[in-house]
Amino acid sequence: MQISCLPISFFKELSTGEMSIGEWARYGKDLGLDGIDISMAFLQNHTPVYLNGVKRELAEAGMTIVMATTYPDFTCGDPAQRKRELAYLVRDIAVCSQLGIRYLRVLAGQNHPDISRGEGVEWAVRNLLAAQEHAARFGVELVYEDHAKPGAWEYIDFSHPTDIFLEIAGRLRGSGIGINYDTGNITAYGDDTLQVLPKVIDQVRTVHVSDMAERGRFSPVVIGTGVTPNRELFRLLRRHGYDGWLCIEEASGTGMEGIQKAVAFTREAWDDACPRASGM
């Protein structure tokens, strides 16, 4: 098991360039992370000079970017916009390849009020599968998430309701697109995340470790202090042989202190979840 972190608490600073990706990499190294995560919104531009500079800073820090998150909106009613969204995602795949990023977190799209469930599912699956063809050529692994709502969107995620997430996940099974299982987002929707994980556990390639203050509301807190049953989820993952990346999504708004606490909790809880041999 290895740990990385997506620092939502520093989203503003990283998106505006007040904090560079290189600085975040150095912080991550000091925290004992095995890698860092970024949002594609953290990249200031896509010029060769800039991207080569990011690669140089990562090398100097001795860190790699494990996962990038992006926000394709394949559930909008405008066919031309859906084509644009696919083109944007293909560009993100190419950038991830250039920066050596293994995983790219993808979404279905927004819950636009003027589309039906059937339309949204079909458009999301069709375009994600189209993007997978490009990802396979570039050596980037797409991971679809049980998401809630990014700040970049007007509406909540189309697949935030658990049954829609599971339908799309089922349609993607065997396609090469995996699952980035967010431990807290199912809690935020009000469902039992311990009941949902077993239904997709064979598809899980990465895990977003998050925590909610209460069930039924998107309410991120310092990881380990909320109601999301992360310890139980870790035990379930370990029983099924999962030993991939735990990508902490730190969104408590408590800065570096929150990240430090999240890293400490995640390491301790994962170690504690190790199956123990029964006594004689």
Side-chain angles (χ1 to χ4, degrees):
M1 179 275 302
Q2 293 177 297
I3 296 179
S4 64
C5 178
L6 178 64
I8 300 299
S9 288
F10 291 125
F11 199 98
K12 178 179 178 293
E13 291 86 347
L14 281 156
S15 296
T16 60
E18 182 181 341
M19 178 189 293
S20 72
I21 292 174
E23 287 179 279
W24 166 227
R26 291 190 291 274
Y27 285 141
K29 188 73 170 181
D30 291 342
L31 287 166
L33 294 173
D34 302 296
I36 61 168
D37 298 337
I38 66 168
S39 164
M40 294 304 289
F42 296 171
L43 297 171
Q44 301 303 301
N45 59 66
H46 297 152
T47 63
V49 169
Y50 173 76
L51 293 178
N52 286 335
V54 172
K55 291 172 68 174
R56 183 170 57 253
E57 286 188 301
L58 290 168
E60 290 172 352
M63 294 294 277
T64 59
I65 300 173
V66 178
M67 186 195 302
T69 59
T70 192
Y71 317 92
D73 184 11
F74 293 132
T75 53
C76 62
D78 181 357
Q81 184 59 32
R82 293 198 298 273
K83 291 179 181 178
R84 295 185 194 103
E85 296 289 335
L86 179 58
Y88 299 154
L89 179 53
V90 170
R91 177 199 60 189
D92 288 345
I93 290 167
V95 171
C96 285
S97 176
Q98 186 170 352
L99 292 177
I101 302 173
R102 180 175 178 180
Y103 298 105
L104 179 60
R105 193 286 312 272
V106 293
L107 306 173
Q110 301 184 64
N111 187 23
H112 296 277
D114 57 344
I115 65 164
S116 69
R117 171 172 173 156
E119 288 173 325
V121 169
E122 187 61 36
W123 293 338
V125 170
R126 184 187 308 161
N127 283 283
L128 288 171
L129 292 177
Q132 170 60 16
E133 296 179 13
H134 296 274
R137 287 198 290 269
F138 280 103
V140 174
E141 298 185 47
L142 302 183
V143 283
Y144 164 63
E145 183 184 315
D146 51 315
H147 199 248
K149 181 185 180 297
W153 283 356
E154 181 179 0
Y155 302 109
I156 198 167
D157 196 304
F158 172 79
S159 54
H160 188 38
T162 308
D163 58 333
I164 297 180
F165 162 67
L166 291 173
E167 180 178 354
I168 294 175
R171 293 275 300 272
L172 296 176
R173 180 174 274 112
S175 68
I177 300 175
I179 296 294
N180 176 56
Y181 192 81
D182 188 296
T183 64
N185 282 340
I186 299 294
T187 304
Y189 187 68
D191 287 339
D192 186 347
T193 187
L194 286 167
Q195 295 297 315
V196 176
L197 177 57
K199 297 176 182 179
V200 295
I201 201 164
D202 61 306
Q203 297 171 265
V204 173
R205 293 189 191 160
T206 55
V207 174
H208 259 181
V209 183
S210 63
D211 205 348
M212 299 294 150
E214 61 183 279
R215 187 166 170 173
R217 184 172 71 90
F218 186 73
S219 51
V221 291
V222 173
I223 293 170
T225 67
V227 301
T228 300
N230 281 303
R231 291 181 181 275
E232 292 85 350
L233 290 165
F234 287 178
R235 294 189 189 105
L236 181 57
L237 286 162
R238 295 202 72 154
R239 284 200 301 271
H240 282 78
Y242 181 81
D243 195 29
W245 282 91
L246 298 179
C247 304
I248 295 167
E249 186 173 27
E250 207 301 302
S252 68
T254 57
M256 195 59 67
E257 181 181 3
I259 296 175
Q260 291 171 335
K261 290 179 178 178
V263 172
F265 169 83
T266 300
R267 289 198 185 281
E268 183 274 326
W270 183 261
D271 289 342
D272 186 59
C274 181
R276 292 174 174 81
S278 59
M280 295 296 291

